[in-house]
Amino acid sequence: MKKIAVFASGSGSNFQAIIDAVRKGELEAAISLLVCDKPGAYCIERARTANIPTFVFNPKNYHSKADYEQEILRLLENEKVDFVILAGYMRLIGPTLLKEYQGRIVNIHPSLLPEFPGKDAIGQALAAKAKWSGVTIHYVDEGMDTGPIIAQERIRLEENETRESLQQKIHAIEHKLYPAILQVLLTKGEVISGKKACTY
Ligand code: GAR
């Protein structure tokens, strides 16, 4: 069974969906670690409740990204983590982690990439009066939400769409799609998305 580490910065509702899917046997993986860059974030509480070890750090206490990523890398290697799963981790992954884990780091983003990358994808979609947005699951590279796409699901925006209503629709999709795609990726090593098959 593959071992995963989840990286999160916020509430961690996607982290919770992964925990629940593992518990139900729908996602055959072992969650070895939560990595969180925001002391006090609610995802830490979720890890505690689920008895998942955590590494919580404040980037301000390190000289550089390389310094804290080196510490994270040591933990990942100690635990023999196979895959890194980003779930609302609001930081770019640097060369230290990419060197060892490229092709084994997956992210979920609340838009149809390449549209609306970066922060506040929901706000960007609303400001652009987009007719469609959605969710993208992709491999992570050195860019901002630029890695190869694994899966996407579309959402039609209503005329009176609000931040709250769109957020709710996005989360509803994310909480189903992420565990389902991870199950295929971690157990079969490939994901069929539309006409494309991505392998690692
Ligand atoms: C999710 O919607 C995720 O797609 C987004 O942050 C949210 C975290 O929610 N990620 C990004 O914007 C990454 N660029 P959660 O903490 O409730 O899982």
Side-chain angles (χ1 to χ4, degrees), residues 98-151:
L98 275 174
K99 187 165 165 278
E100 299 304 325
Y101 276 92
Q102 185 139 30
R104 297 187 293 145
I105 310 178
V106 180
N107 183 39
I108 190 160
H109 183 78
S111 78
L112 291 177
L113 291 172
E115 280 192 331
F116 313 130
K119 286 202 176 132
D120 194 18
I122 291 177
Q124 292 184 55
L126 292 170
K129 300 202 187 314
K131 287 218 161 49
W132 294 91
S133 189
V135 171
T136 301
I137 295 169
H138 66 97
Y139 291 106
V140 170
D141 64 11
E142 56 288 340
M144 171 90 80
D145 303 318
T146 50
I149 289 172
I150 299 170

Side-chain angles (χ1 to χ4, degrees), residues 2 4 27-29 83 182-189 200:
K2 293 275 192 279
I4 63 174
L27 173 54
E28 295 160 85
F83 271 78
L182 291 175
Q183 166 66 2
V184 182
L185 186 65
L186 298 177
T187 60
K188 302 213 173 15
Y200 64 84

Side-chain angles (χ1 to χ4, degrees), residues 8-16 43 46 87-90 107-111 117-122 135-136 144-145 167 170-171 174-175:
S9 306
S11 141
S13 70
N14 279 284
F15 174 43
Q16 188 68 53
C43 58
R46 296 183 194 271
Y89 183 68
M90 304 310 270
N107 183 39
I108 190 160
H109 183 78
S111 78
K119 286 202 176 132
D120 194 18
I122 291 177
V135 171
T136 301
M144 171 90 80
D145 303 318
Q167 171 86 71
I170 282 180
H171 266 153
E174 288 185 332
H175 297 164

Side-chain angles (χ1 to χ4, degrees), residues 7 34 36 51 59 70 141-142 166 194 196 200:
F7 287 27
L34 170 76
C36 175
N51 275 319
Q70 197 57 53
D141 64 11
E142 56 288 340
L166 183 53
K196 271 187 261 161
Y200 64 84

Side-chain angles (χ1 to χ4, degrees), residues 29-156:
I31 309 172
S32 300
L33 184 68
L34 170 76
V35 172
C36 175
D37 62 333
K38 287 265 158 46
Y42 188 61
C43 58
I44 301 165
E45 197 55 41
R46 296 183 194 271
R48 202 164 293 143
T49 306
N51 275 319
I52 295 166
T54 57
F55 174 63
V56 182
F57 69 102
N58 184 343
K60 287 192 185 126
N61 296 338
Y62 293 80
H63 281 303
S64 66
K65 187 187 285 275
D67 278 359
Y68 64 73
E69 286 201 343
Q70 197 57 53
E71 200 163 331
I72 295 171
L73 184 59
R74 207 164 34 81
L75 293 171
L76 298 179
E77 289 182 337
N78 277 351
E79 291 298 323
K80 298 193 169 35
V81 166
D82 298 296
F83 271 78
V84 168
I85 309 303
L86 307 187
Y89 183 68
M90 304 310 270
R91 260 169 216 287
L92 278 180
I93 299 294
T96 309
L97 283 175
L98 275 174
K99 187 165 165 278
E100 299 304 325
Y101 276 92
Q102 185 139 30
R104 297 187 293 145
I105 310 178
V106 180
N107 183 39
I108 190 160
H109 183 78
S111 78
L112 291 177
L113 291 172
E115 280 192 331
F116 313 130
K119 286 202 176 132
D120 194 18
I122 291 177
Q124 292 184 55
L126 292 170
K129 300 202 187 314
K131 287 218 161 49
W132 294 91
S133 189
V135 171
T136 301
I137 295 169
H138 66 97
Y139 291 106
V140 170
D141 64 11
E142 56 288 340
M144 171 90 80
D145 303 318
T146 50
I149 289 172
I150 299 170
Q152 290 188 307
E153 201 165 317
R154 286 168 21 124
I155 296 167
R156 191 174 166 77

